[in-house]
Amino acid sequence: MPRFAFTRHVIMKPWAWVLVVAFWAVVAVASYSWNAMRISVIAMDMAELRGKLVFDMVQITRSWNARHGGVYAPVSTNTPPNPYLEIPEKVISTPSGRELTLVNPAYMTRQIADLLKRGEVHIHLTSLKPLNPGNVPDSWERDALEAFERGETKRVSISEPAETPAVLRYMAPLRVEKACLACHLKQGYKEGDIRGGLSVTFPAETILTFRGERLQAYRMVHLAGFAALSLMTVLAMASVRRQILKLETERDERETIVRERTEELVREIAIRKRSEAEVAERETMLRSILETAGEGIYEIAPDGTCMMCNPAALRLLGYDDPDELIGKNIHDLVHHSTLDGQPYSIDDCPMHQVTENGKEVHVTDETFWRKNGTPFPVECYSHPVIQNGEVVAAVVSFFDITKQKKLEQELRDQALRDPLTHVYNRRYFTTRLEEEAERAERYMLPLSLAMLDLDHFKAVNDDHGHATGDLVLKLFAKRTEEQLRRTDTLCRIGGEEFALLMPNTDHGQARILAERIRHAIAGMVAPGDKGLVRITVSIGLSAVNGRHGVKAEGLTHEADEALYAAKAGGRNQVRLSAAVEVGTENA
C-alpha cells in the first residue's frame, strides 16, 4: 500500500490545496503571458504596416524626382534656393523673368515633411553625414542608422514619453541611386550605399487602445478559467479525501457484527447518493460556465449535426431557440457560403474535418452567416472529442472579429486618403489611373481625366490664414463630390490641385460634368477672417477619345497642359487638351 499511503498523506495535508491553486495560477499566468506577447506582436505589425505605407509613398516621390534629375519650382518664401545644393543651374529664369530653383529629392522630402506637420504624421530625412544641419539624427534615429550599416532593413518602436502622448516610430534606410551621385559623389558614396534613412512618427493611441482592449479581454478570460479550474480541482480532491476516509472507516469496522455491517451498508448507500448529487452539481456548474461564456460554442457530430450550442452562439448567429440548430446540419445553416457568395462544401470545412482527422484547428478569418442572411467575420477553434480512442464529435468555439476588421480597414484607408479632405490621395490616384488606362486600351473603352486647380488659392491663405484655406479645400472637395457619379473618383494630388478620374466617359460627357462642377464651385462661399471667401476653379480635360497607346502619364500631361491653358486664359473655365481636339477633328 505504499502508493495509497502516499496519496493519503498528500491529500490530507493543508498545503495540498495551496499547491493546486498555485499550479493553476502558474498555468494561467503562462497562458496569459503568451497571449499578451502575441497581441503585442500583432500591434507592432500594425504599426509597422502604417509606417511602411508612409515611407513607401515618400520613397516613390523621391525616386520620381531623382529619375527626372530634380524639378524646378518657383522661388518663394517657402521654397528658397537650397543652400546645400551645389550644382550648375540651381536657379534659372523663365523667359518672363520668373526665377525657378531646382528641388532635388532631399529638398522635396523636407517640403513634404513641412506639409505633414499640419497633421498627425511626421517624417524626418536624416543621415550620419548630413549636408543639411537640419537633417542631424536624434538618438533613436542614430541607433537605427548605425543598425542599417550593420545590415538591418528597418526599425520599429513604440515610445511612451512621460510628458507627451505615446508615438509609433518607423524608419528604413535610403540607398544611393545613380541619380543621387550628382550631389553625393563628393562625400565618397557609391551606388547602393546607405545614404541615410527616413523616419516616420505618428500617434500610437489607436494601436495602444487596440492592444489594451485585447489584453483586458484576455485577463478576464484567464481569471475566469483560473477560478473555474481551481474550484473543480479542489472539489475533486475533496471527493477523493472523503473516499479515503470512507475506506478507512470500512477497514476499521470490517470485524463488527452483522448488524453493524448492515448499518454500514446503509451509510454507504447514503454516501453514494450524496456523491451522485455532487456529480450532478458539478455538471450543473460546468453547464453554467458554458452558458455564461462570451464566445459562441457548439458541438457537432461526424455527420455535421449540431448536438449542443450555448446562448452566446445563438446570440451571435441571430437565433432565439436552440432547437433551431440542434439536430440540424449547422454547416448548411451558418457556414454554407464564402463572403462573396460562393458555395462552401462541408467537406472543405476545417471545423468539420476535425471529426475525421482528430486534429484541432484554429482559423483566424472565416465567414459565418446569421439567421437573417447577413455575414460576419469570425475567428474559430475546433477541438476533437475522443472516446475510447475514436473521434465522436468536435467542439467549435468562435467569436465575432468585426471590430478588428474595421480597425484594419481604417488603417488601410488612412494610407490611401487625404487626411484633410478625406478624398483619395496621390498614391491611390496613380495606381487607379494606370489600371483604368490599361483597361481602356485593352477593351477600347472611353476614359477621361480632369485636373482641377483652385484659382488664387495662395491669396486665400495669405489674406485669411491657413485655417480658412483648409476649410475652403474641404468645402471644395465636398461640393465637387456632390456633382459626381458613382463611378467617378476625386483625388487630392497636392496643395490646391485635384484630379478627377472618369471611366467609361468620353470627352463630351466629361466636359458637361466639368462645367457642372465649375458652376457649383463658382456659387460656393466660405466664411473667412475678413469676410466671405468666394473661389473659382480652373479645369483641364484630357481623354483617350478612341486613340491607341495612350498611357497614364500621357493623359496626366495632356490634362496638365489643358489646365495651364485654362489658367492662362483667365481662369474659372474648362479647357480640353489640344491633343484630344486634334484627335476629334481627325476622327
Side-chain angles (χ1 to χ4, degrees):
M1 300 284 289
R3 181 179 301 176
F4 173 79
F6 176 77
T7 303
R8 180 189 182 284
H9 175 75
V10 171
I11 292 181
M12 294 299 179
K13 295 295 182 180
W15 52 261
W17 313 97
V18 178
L19 182 63
V20 167
V21 174
F23 169 78
W24 286 121
V26 170
V27 172
V29 170
S31 176
Y32 172 77
S33 299
W34 184 88
N35 281 282
M37 178 184 66
R38 178 171 166 268
I39 290 299
S40 297
V41 170
I42 292 174
M44 188 61 71
D45 289 344
M46 294 168 66
E48 178 181 343
L49 174 61
R50 183 176 180 185
K52 187 175 185 302
L53 288 173
V54 176
F55 176 86
D56 290 345
M57 177 189 70
V58 176
Q59 182 66 347
I60 289 173
T61 303
R62 288 170 53 84
S63 297
W64 176 86
N65 185 296
R67 283 199 300 269
H68 290 80
V71 296
Y72 282 97
V75 175
S76 66
T77 303
N78 294 328
T79 310
N82 186 351
Y84 308 103
L85 184 64
E86 298 179 0
I87 62 170
E89 297 183 342
K90 181 168 71 174
V91 178
I92 62 174
S93 298
T94 65
S96 63
R98 189 177 189 183
E99 284 193 338
L100 304 177
T101 184
L102 185 66
V103 178
N104 65 346
Y107 199 8
M108 179 177 286
T109 303
R110 291 196 297 275
Q111 294 279 326
I112 295 174
D114 291 340
L115 291 175
L116 289 177
K117 286 180 181 177
R118 304 172 187 173
E120 295 182 337
V121 179
H122 298 273
I123 64 173
H124 184 214
L125 180 66
T126 184
S127 171
L128 292 175
K129 296 188 292 183
L131 292 175
N132 184 349
N135 294 342
V136 173
D138 58 27
S139 59
W140 183 88
E141 292 169 336
R142 179 173 295 277
D143 290 342
L145 290 170
E146 293 173 351
F148 295 157
E149 296 288 348
R150 296 191 298 269
E152 285 192 26
T153 59
K154 62 187 177 185
R155 177 65 62 88
V156 186
S157 70
I158 300 180
S159 62
E160 302 185 34
E163 300 180 357
T164 58
V167 295
L168 297 170
R169 301 198 72 180
Y170 175 89
M171 187 170 181
L174 297 174
R175 296 188 177 276
V176 176
E177 300 178 3
K178 186 175 181 180
C180 303
L181 295 177
C183 298
H184 299 294
L185 182 62
K186 65 182 181 180
Q187 292 182 284
Y189 288 111
K190 60 181 182 297
E191 187 174 354
D193 286 350
I194 295 177
R195 169 68 185 93
L198 183 70
S199 67
V200 182
T201 304
F202 50 91
E205 179 181 358
T206 302
I207 302 298
L208 293 179
T209 299
F210 164 78
R211 185 179 68 181
E213 290 176 351
R214 295 306 296 269
L215 289 177
Q216 177 64 19
Y218 277 118
R219 279 194 292 271
M220 297 303 296
V221 170
H222 282 79
L223 182 60
F226 162 72
L229 291 171
S230 297
L231 180 60
M232 288 188 294
T233 305
V234 168
L235 290 175
M237 290 181 64
S239 177
V240 173
R241 187 174 185 272
R242 283 192 295 271
Q243 293 296 328
I244 292 175
L245 293 174
K246 185 190 71 170
L247 290 174
E248 291 179 345
T249 301
E250 292 174 351
R251 183 194 60 192
D252 294 337
E253 297 179 351
R254 194 172 297 165
E255 298 177 354
T256 60
I257 62 176
V258 174
R259 180 183 57 81
E260 292 173 341
R261 178 58 180 162
T262 302
E263 293 176 352
E264 180 65 24
L265 289 176
V266 173
R267 286 195 296 272
E268 273 189 43
I269 293 173
I271 292 174
R272 287 180 181 177
K273 288 183 178 179
R274 287 197 301 271
S275 298
E276 290 174 356
E278 290 170 355
V279 171
E281 182 181 357
R282 286 198 296 272
E283 291 179 351
T284 301
M285 181 185 64
L286 291 174
R287 181 168 294 277
S288 175
I289 294 174
L290 182 65
E291 290 179 350
T292 57
E295 67 266 27
I297 302 174
Y298 63 85
E299 185 178 21
I300 55 175
D303 62 354
T305 301
C306 179
M307 302 166 61
M308 175 277 297
C309 62
N310 72 339
L314 293 175
R315 174 175 53 79
L316 292 172
L317 296 171
Y319 290 88
D320 300 320
D321 192 337
D323 291 337
E324 295 182 84
L325 295 177
I326 296 176
K328 300 178 176 61
N329 190 310
I330 195 167
H331 178 87
D332 293 341
L333 294 175
V334 306
H335 201 201
H336 49 76
S337 305
T338 59
L339 183 59
D340 59 2
Q342 295 297 317
Y344 197 7
S345 170
I346 190 173
D347 295 330
D348 299 327
C349 175
M351 276 72 74
H352 180 265
Q353 290 173 355
V354 173
T355 63
E356 299 175 356
N357 56 33
K359 298 179 180 179
E360 66 180 35
V361 169
H362 175 208
V363 184
T364 59
D365 191 4
E366 280 285 352
T367 298
F368 276 8
W369 294 82
R370 300 185 182 91
K371 181 181 178 180
N372 62 8
T374 59
F376 66 102
V378 296
E379 183 174 357
C380 303
Y381 294 84
S382 183
H383 299 272
V385 178
I386 301 176
Q387 294 180 359
N388 299 324
E390 294 183 359
V391 180
V392 298
V395 175
V396 178
S397 61
F398 66 94
F399 51 91
D400 190 344
I401 58 173
T402 300
K403 290 184 179 179
Q404 177 181 337
K405 290 290 186 181
K406 182 179 179 181
L407 175 61
E408 294 172 353
Q409 183 60 44
E410 289 175 353
L411 291 175
R412 284 192 290 269
D413 285 345
Q414 290 176 8
L416 296 177
R417 289 190 179 272
D418 174 59
L420 176 64
T421 63
H422 301 297
V423 300
Y424 288 107
N425 59 19
R426 177 185 285 273
R427 180 187 181 92
Y428 180 84
F429 165 73
T430 302
T431 302
R432 181 72 188 281
L433 177 58
E434 291 177 352
E435 292 174 350
E436 291 297 339
E438 291 176 0
R439 192 168 71 93
E441 177 71 12
R442 183 181 301 113
Y443 301 108
M444 299 182 66
L445 297 174
L447 173 65
S448 296
L449 173 65
M451 303 300 288
L452 305 88
D453 191 275
L454 298 183
D455 298 326
H456 304 296
F457 183 75
K458 184 177 183 300
V460 174
N461 280 333
D462 292 343
D463 296 339
H464 298 273
H466 289 284
T468 300
D470 290 346
L471 175 62
V472 168
L473 289 173
K474 291 191 284 188
L475 292 177
F476 169 80
K478 181 176 183 299
R479 180 65 63 87
T480 301
E481 287 193 317
E482 290 173 352
Q483 317 303 316
L484 303 183
R485 304 162 299 180
R486 184 177 60 85
T487 56
D488 300 327
T489 302
L490 180 67
C491 306
R492 183 185 180 195
I493 59 176
E496 67 272 23
E497 187 174 6
F498 293 77
L500 175 59
L501 189 61
M502 296 168 282
N504 300 319
T505 305
D506 60 28
H507 70 282
Q509 297 169 320
R511 185 153 201 160
I512 293 173
L513 177 57
E515 287 289 353
R516 187 163 71 240
I517 293 172
R518 187 183 67 81
H519 282 291
I521 299 305
M524 186 181 76
V525 295
D529 294 341
K530 301 179 181 179
L532 296 179
V533 178
R534 298 183 181 275
I535 62 171
T536 58
V537 62
S538 298
I539 304 176
L541 285 177
S542 179
V544 172
N545 201 35
R547 297 177 292 166
H548 294 290
V550 179
K551 302 297 183 182
E553 295 84 354
L555 280 175
T556 303
H557 179 70
E558 292 174 359
D560 279 334
E561 288 187 339
L563 175 61
Y564 297 152
K567 290 285 189 181
R571 296 180 171 84
N572 190 24
Q573 58 183 270
V574 178
R575 285 291 183 93
L576 183 63
S577 168
V580 177
E581 291 179 342
V582 171
T584 303
E585 294 172 357
N586 293 337

